[in-house]
Amino acid sequence: MSKNVDLEQEGVEVRKSACYFCHQNCGVLAYVKDGKVLAIEGDPDFPTNQGGLCCRGNIALQHLDHPERVNYPLKRVGKRGEGKWEQIPWDQAIQEIAARLNGIKDEFGAEAVATAGGTQRTDDWARRRFMNLFGSPNGFHNSHLCWIPTFMVETAIYGWCPFELDMGNSRCLILWGQNPGAAGMPEMHHITEFQSKGMKVIVIDPRFSETAAKADLWLPLRPGSDLALALAWINVIIFEGLYDQEFVANCCEGFGELADHVEQFTPEWASPLTWLTPEQIRAGAYMYAMNKPGNIQWGTSVDQIGKPAGSAMHARAILRAITGNLDAPGSDLLTGPSPDFITDEEMEANDRLPESQKPKQIGADRFKLVTWPGYSRIAEETKKVWGKAPTAEWMCEAHPPSVFRAILTERPYKVKALLVSATNPINSYGETKLVLDALRAVDFMVTCDYWMTPTAALSDYVLPIAGALERPTITSSYGCSDFLLASQRAIQPMYERRNDYNFWRDLGMATGQKEEWPWETVEDAYYHRIAPLGYDAGTYDEFVELYRFHFPEREYFKYQRQGFATPSGKVELYSSVLKDLGYPPLPPYIGPSENEVDDPELAKDFPLVLTTGGGFMPYHHSEHFQIKEVRFLRHEPYMDINPTTAAELSIEDGDWVWIETKRGRIKQKANLTQGIHPRVVYTQRGWWYPERDMRDPELGGCLESNTNVLTSTADEHCDPYSGAWANRGLLCRVYKVDASNLKGGK
Amino acid sequence: MARYAMVLDTRRCIGCHSCTVACKVHNGLPVDMIYNPVTTVGPTGVYPNLHQVHIPLLCMHCANAPCVDACPTCASQKRDDGVVFVEDKMCVGCLSCVMACPYGARTLNDETGAVQKCDFCKERLDAGKKPHCVNTCHQKARIFGDLDDETSEVYKLVNSENAARLLGELNTEPYTFYIYGLEVKNP
Amino acid sequence: MSTKHEGWGWMLAVDFFFAGMGGAMLLIAGIIELFVGEGRTSLVGNLLGPVFMCVGCAFLVFELGRPFQSWRVFMNPKAILTAGAWTMSIAIVVGLAYASFGLDPAWFGVEKLFWQDKYLVRKLLAVICVLTGLVVAAYPGVLLARHKGRPFWVGPGMITLFLLSSLVTGVSAHFLSGFAFPPAVVPGVLANFPLLAGALLFFQLVVWFGYLWVKRTGATAAEADSAQRWIAGDLSGSFKFVFLFLGTLVPMVLFLQASPALQGVGALFVLLGGVVMRCLVVRAGHDRTWLPGEQKYRGRLPLGDEAFLKAWNK
């Protein structure tokens, strides 16, 4: 695209499309002529991005027809991973895959078919629908690392997760391990606006992130020590009299037990655990509790700390409740599911999964919160008050590391097939070596993707998926918001790409679900979902063109009318739901997954603390490394290390260094920065090198700089509530890469 | 006649590089040509007392543009509205302007043999639109407008805030202004 | 990323060398013609002046991104490069015309060449040679000195350095020309030039030390950094060994020898020093006055040979 494209020429149509490179789904105007997109720009009338687009949004056209894109269904003809493919018709691929899956189902049971998903970039209700109708409970996502455990803990405690922030009226915002300055531009824009009008911003992050640099208070805690900080804040807020007495008295259960429980967790107690001073801890508690109304933005870092995650989420949820920052103007709003449009959950056909299959869900025996035991318990409560349940795809899933282990060990039973959609588990799931072994070992694997990823390279079939500009989008926060934003596709999918919806539908029809998929296109399905809203639109496209959004009137203090969706109808600080599931009803202190206090011997060998996984521009998880228009900005991986530590290790800025944990080692380049504690290092996530040989065993250098080689999914490092594994707060060591290890200057 | 200017509000810039990419893809630039880099100064200080500022750059569209004077072919020109640009067909690629520019705003295109630079997306300006980098900026850290218009945001920012020019001591009189936070006068 | 086109390259440095030397040769020939007497310089030397300028122009043209449109550089009266282009063109024509007075009519099988007895024309051409030669010899320095954003170049010192270097190379080239084709009046250049060159070298050495000292202790950090590159940085090896030692000290010693052969070798070393100095100066100019954070930003961009840049080129 060049500046010389004439957008005023005859026949140019403007389509109200959306960016599809992260969850924000910023509005995009696409200028289309004769089925080709001539140009794109941010939609100035879209409420979130207001015309803005980030690096990723701007490369939509480079993404759309990149020479590396997978454009036709591919069937493996050589050995697995050998890189030999045959191009076959889509229908042949579907028929062959369906036959194989039905065969596995007949021989090993439906549960022997698992699916892996990535971040929220697909129509996941369609996948869930397929799996439910097929009879397997073993769908999973990276959801365990991505807000879902938080959602479930908070829903257990006050009946929904307050991810709708009423920031316009807020006086204080906590960004808990969240960095919208690098990951969520529309959000950061609003934060900047409100901050300039007086809203205080607290950033809790071991790194001096883009957002921390703009904060009123930056709390650089030891990675993984969030729980100690949250408990100390509860202590300060209760014992220094900062809590909302009226809200606690009228709306909360278990305050007395909570006060007794947290009495021991003083800032002085938390200080050596969090590496913050008691003054810093108090300053944060005061700033949040004294600037009401306030918000705690939802973020995913606490989901990624492993062992203490569930308890930390519980403690964080309590902070909102005891300060009365729930469903009041300016605070965190409990929107509930939409009563008006058909939610994702209602499209999932969860009632079609036989009861006998639910207990077979892998991981449900140990990690109850986001599997069928916890999900059914919590859904039961939400249905009473909201009339609807949370989305099951995300909130009720198999435990991914356990599925990978099941492939290798055949325990608890054989898993024979893996359908991978919109993810590259080799880079994005924990403990890469385990994942890689499992993917090499699994009998049958199908990958739906835009690119030939390391995962796709190991597959039996690779199916080309339609991307941004080629698909309509409904944005409704994992199907859990009461509002929606709708966008249309700019063009029909190019080549033989299809929407992931069509993949699941086609596969469903071919495996015997013919009657269950009445909606031929995504638009048909979307129209079915929005029709109950009653807008004057005959098709989905018409709805987008005429209305595009549905924002119901905002109602505060809904709990006064209907109570909270908990067994007692109140905020259960002392949680009966968690207790029923066998978890502590109040948040106990648990140290970070690996730490120097509980395991000083390990800390001798691995003296530094590792944090991984923060998003950074211009990539999204493990995506976009192919696109040189963004890759040139950060073409090599960099890890952050304090100059003092680097000097001790004779590491200079730009040196290649090894970062090693008990699981393995990777190399990245050293970025010397004061923006990190001398005992902490941060590695960039997602790295692989699509420009290299994509055949096994090189697989695009997928082990070389991939931070998930370092992370841990061992049961003892996982959150006992949800099974979320440990990406942060692990022990590591760092040393310079020996010249003899350098390959071609890398 | 308008007098175009840009204000870079470093208090708002988060260093996301969206402007760099937007400029590159919309203007069809080669990968190794960057009209508008965003640099980072810092974190300065000692952990945990730190400060960091991002500096979005571009051609400064100087009133007293050394590149225009240096160009032996008159390919480098300044319009009445202040936009400094290169008339491609007149450029011989002598690099005089590249060397004369103190801001590194000009690059030779290997393939065409001519020098290219930011021209405030002048075709867009003529069509009543704003430059791509301004449009794409979520943070509204790039503010563009007419400095002759006393009601414009740029006029207000340039005249009421602590606006500074980069390398002001060179007397090139940039029409690109920077606003820093209270902590930093000039990084 | 690639910096090869973010500044002038070696071809421009070579242009500066040849043009400066050629200009100085015209200047010297003109001065000797006017103030010392006719026939003291070699015909080859008089011819080589404009020829060197032509060679310089050729390098300049090939440095351009669009060499075949080089005629456009005559267009901007405000631009130093335009002024330089005009002066050099005039100098080349005038220099050739002046040199033609030294041609032997016998080579052409004629009694006399009709213009050679036109005294006034000859003197007028010599005057123009002096003026244009001086401008051409000094002008690269003037050009560089005006670059406000190039800390090593900025300031009048660069003019002196270039003028001196042009002169010393011009003197050496005239001296060498004398070997190839002795001047009409012997010994002419052969007798006096080594001493003149030696003196100029000494003076040049002093000015260089002064220049670096001023830059090192200069007004801005950028200037100090730029000087440091010559004193102990990446340019210091070539500067010290090739320019200072081989191009200055060695010829100074050789010029003091009685043997014309050794003096000739000294003159060749001066030329080597001159071309290396031009290259180093041009390279030093790639350092701009960096904007805040710019060096780190540019330092982490790809260099241009990375696999990801080439992997998907159709």
Side-chain angles (χ1 to χ4, degrees), chain C residues 76-128:
Chain C
N76 185 1
K78 279 186 184 171
I80 297 272
L81 213 68
T82 299
W86 278 112
T87 317
M88 198 137 87
S89 306
I90 296 167
I92 290 169
V93 174
V94 172
L96 287 173
Y98 170 75
S100 70
F101 282 87
L103 295 172
D104 187 342
W107 299 338
F108 304 92
V110 291
E111 286 276 314
K112 67 167 201 165
L113 295 163
F114 67 90
W115 65 86
Q116 284 182 333
D117 54 1
K118 303 215 181 318
Y119 178 81
L120 262 179
V121 173
R122 178 171 180 148
K123 294 299 172 190
L124 185 65
L125 286 174
V127 170
I128 301 174

Side-chain angles (χ1 to χ4, degrees), chain B residues 9-40:
Chain B
D9 190 341
T10 69
R11 299 169 305 182
R12 303 180 71 94
C13 179
I14 49 174
C16 70
H17 304 286
S18 306
C19 47
T20 311
V21 174
C23 174
K24 183 179 295 297
V25 300
H26 293 302
N27 289 316
L29 305 185
V31 176
D32 59 358
M33 188 178 292
I34 306 171
Y35 283 176
N36 51 358
V38 181
T39 70
T40 302

